[in-house]
């Protein structure tokens, strides 16, 4: 049933989300222009990256290599397709559309910002892996990884029944996002400010898409729950197959 918002409720709702989105957008704009106009980032970035080099070890390198593969451009589309299909199977069509809109919008924003600033990557001599041919700012791994994790957390937060399940999902997603971001700096293919800016941009985009989605649900009667496909046992079987396929994709990408 469509809900008719009162003036005060709608004003508070829009003001809160708009303020948070504008704050995150302003932070990345400030950081982006600092790359061009201010020398402090170009001075501090190499110092922070240099602090991580003495901490390198075979074990940490292997760990962060696996973490960076989770957000690899060849893996993220497979994970997104798997998550989208699972959402459709569980009757969450609106969230599947939200996932597609968020990731497609992210690709456009990331491409435009990269082309606009053309920031070079760290010196190749310090990189532990082959540097991509793309620009350093923003970090595609950190950006798309947070976008995908953010949509998953959003869905689980609204569908999970208990607080423990919600907090567990938030913790695991946050741990993976942080690991992916750190891996890009540890492996020497991104500056720290690239990762921070990517997280700010991703959070701004997530706030905008979340706000739009919730507005449609609350005030335009957007239907969230649709008939599920097949039985619950089949759902869990497909979920397990999708998870296994994602693991295989990561291993194949590593090899």
């Amino acid at each position: 049933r469509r809900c008719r918002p009162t003036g005060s409720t709608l004003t508070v709702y829009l003001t809160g989300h708009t303020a948070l989105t504008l704050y995150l957008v302003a932070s990345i704009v400030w950081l982006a222009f600092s790359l061009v106009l201010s020398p402090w980032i170009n001075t501090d970035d190499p110092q922070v990256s240099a602090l991580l080099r003495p901490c390198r070890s075979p074990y940490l390198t292997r760990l962060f290599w696996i973490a960076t593969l989770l957000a690899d451009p060849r893996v993220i589309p497979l994970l997104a397709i798997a998550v989208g299909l699972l959402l459709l199977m569980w009757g969450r069509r609106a969230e599947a559309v939200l996932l597609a809109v968020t990731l497609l919008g992210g690709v456009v924003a990331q491409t435009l910002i990269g082309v606009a600033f053309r920031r070079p990557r760290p010196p190749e001599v310090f990189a532990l892996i082959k540097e991509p041919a793309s620009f350093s700012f923003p970090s595609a791994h950190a950006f798309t990884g947070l976008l995908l994790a953010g949509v998953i957390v959003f869905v689980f937060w609204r569908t999970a029944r208990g607080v423990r399940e919600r907090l567990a999902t938030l913790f695991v997603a946050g741990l993976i996002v942080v690991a992916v971001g750190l891996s890009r700096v540890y492996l020497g293919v991104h500056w720290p400010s690239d990762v921070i800016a990517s997280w700010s941009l991703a959070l701004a985009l997530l706030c905008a898409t979340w706000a739009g989605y919730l507005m449609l649900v609350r005030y335009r009667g957007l239907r969230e729950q649709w008939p599920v496909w097949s039985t619950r046992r089949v759902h869990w079987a497909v979920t397990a197959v999708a998870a296994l396929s994602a693991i295989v994709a990561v291993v194949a990408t590593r090899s």
Side-chain angles (χ1 to χ4, degrees), residues 37-220:
L37 302 177
S38 177
W40 73 266
I41 287 185
N42 295 321
T43 301
D44 292 346
D45 267 343
Q47 294 178 356
V48 176
S49 297
L51 291 176
L52 293 178
R53 292 188 200 119
C55 302
R56 288 175 171 176
S57 67
Y59 174 77
L60 284 178
T61 300
R62 190 179 303 111
L63 185 64
F64 280 122
W65 175 235
I66 295 174
T68 205
L69 287 177
L70 294 176
D72 189 273
R74 294 166 292 181
V75 175
I76 283 291
L78 298 177
L79 294 177
I81 292 173
V83 173
L85 290 176
L86 291 175
L87 289 174
L88 291 175
M89 287 196 64
W90 287 91
R92 311 297 300 190
R93 300 181 187 178
E95 282 95 337
V97 175
L98 173 66
L99 175 65
V101 170
T102 301
L103 291 180
L104 290 176
V107 171
V108 174
Q110 170 201 327
T111 303
L112 293 177
I113 292 176
V115 172
F117 290 92
R118 298 175 177 269
R119 190 186 192 191
R121 291 183 180 270
E124 191 173 357
V125 66
F126 298 122
L128 296 179
I129 59 176
K130 183 180 179 180
E131 288 191 343
S134 57
F135 298 110
S136 183
F137 176 75
S139 169
H141 284 68
F143 181 59
T144 56
L146 180 52
L147 287 181
L148 180 58
V151 174
I152 293 175
V153 169
F154 179 79
V155 173
F156 269 92
W157 195 270
R158 303 191 72 243
T159 57
R161 297 181 179 179
V163 177
R164 292 183 179 179
E165 291 82 357
R166 294 176 176 177
L167 293 180
T169 303
L170 181 61
F171 174 78
V172 173
L175 188 64
I176 294 175
V177 168
V178 171
V180 170
L182 286 177
S183 71
R184 305 307 287 169
V185 181
Y186 175 90
L187 296 173
V189 293
H190 273 292
W191 300 110
S193 58
D194 296 333
V195 175
I196 296 174
S198 301
W199 284 340
S200 297
L201 177 62
L203 287 174
L205 182 57
L206 286 172
C207 285
T209 55
W210 288 349
Y213 178 86
L214 293 175
M215 288 289 293
L216 290 175
V217 171
R218 183 172 180 82
Y219 302 128
R220 290 295 180 265

